Amino acid sequence: MADDSQAESGGGLYERRIGTPRTTDEVNGYWLFGFGVLLGLAGVVVFLFTDSETTTRGIGYALAALAPPFIMLGAVIRFPLRRVGTSLGYLGTAVSVAGVVWFVNIFPDGWFTASGDPTVIALYGIGLLLIGLAGTVVPLLSDPVYEDYERMQTETTATAAERDETVAELEATREELEAARTELDATRDELSDAE
């Protein structure tokens, strides 16, 4: 999970147009969601302008197939999940992407037009299942993260205030030390003059 300083520096367009993010994961999730939508649209366009059973049509299918994992991952990352949930989402996306890459490698010649390739379909489906579990089951089995985030933010603020207080005390001590040095130098000069 990203910290407060990362959220402040990572907002950009998201912060100006949507709202202040609590974490950079929230921003990254938004962009992944948007990327997934664009992949899906690109897949539909490629599909519409290509001949059936060609490698180019397969790329259209692949682009459209990549849309759900990225859209789902974007939504999952925006959730305030524990690291295990986010990691499971990334793992599921990687598995689904591997299924799509496998599909691109075998389409059209190695693809069974009537039933597809069950192994490729299963790999892709397992990836989607993992992402779905990350977004639905993991949050139910773990404690809320925002409370931890709020606690860490409060601790960070307290630590920063303590640091500022220590810096102020250090500066005051330096000024006192400098005044004592000046006084000591003046006393030495007086003693030198007296001799």
Side-chain angles (χ1 to χ4, degrees):
M1 183 155 162
D3 65 18
D4 188 42
S5 63
Q6 290 173 325
E8 288 176 10
S9 66
L13 179 64
Y14 182 93
E15 188 170 0
R16 287 192 308 272
R17 303 299 301 165
I18 296 171
T20 303
R22 289 188 179 192
T23 66
T24 53
D25 286 343
E26 189 175 328
V27 177
N28 294 339
Y30 171 79
W31 290 115
L32 277 171
F33 184 90
F35 178 68
V37 170
L38 290 176
L39 279 174
L41 292 173
V44 170
V45 168
V46 171
F47 173 83
L48 287 174
F49 295 107
T50 58
D51 295 326
S52 63
E53 296 186 31
T54 62
T55 303
T56 313
R57 174 67 61 96
I59 291 172
Y61 289 145
L63 290 172
L66 286 172
F70 281 100
I71 289 171
M72 291 170 66
L73 179 64
V76 166
I77 288 177
R78 290 189 75 190
F79 294 156
L81 297 178
R82 300 271 178 207
R83 183 145 326 271
V84 70
T86 306
S87 299
L88 190 60
Y90 283 119
L91 175 65
T93 302
V95 170
S96 288
V97 168
V100 171
V101 168
W102 191 353
F103 167 79
V104 169
N105 284 326
I106 64 172
F107 188 85
D109 298 328
W111 187 256
F112 309 116
T113 54
S115 63
D117 186 315
T119 310
V120 172
I121 294 169
L123 185 63
Y124 179 77
I126 288 170
L128 293 180
L129 176 67
L130 291 173
I131 301 168
L133 289 174
T136 57
V137 176
V138 170
L140 296 175
L141 299 177
S142 62
D143 297 328
V145 174
Y146 280 140
E147 285 78 8
D148 287 348
Y149 175 76
E150 301 290 337
R151 179 185 51 78
M152 288 187 296
Q153 191 175 26
T154 302
E155 289 174 1
T156 301
T157 303
T159 303
E162 192 175 308
R163 178 204 62 213
D164 292 343
E165 184 179 319
T166 303
V167 167
E169 289 174 4
L170 180 61
E171 189 59 38
T173 303
R174 283 182 182 154
E175 289 173 3
E176 289 174 11
L177 182 59
E178 189 59 38
R181 280 187 185 149
T182 304
E183 190 176 314
L184 181 61
D185 288 343
T187 304
R188 279 185 187 150
D189 290 342
E190 287 176 11
L191 286 174
S192 294
D193 291 343
E195 291 177 358

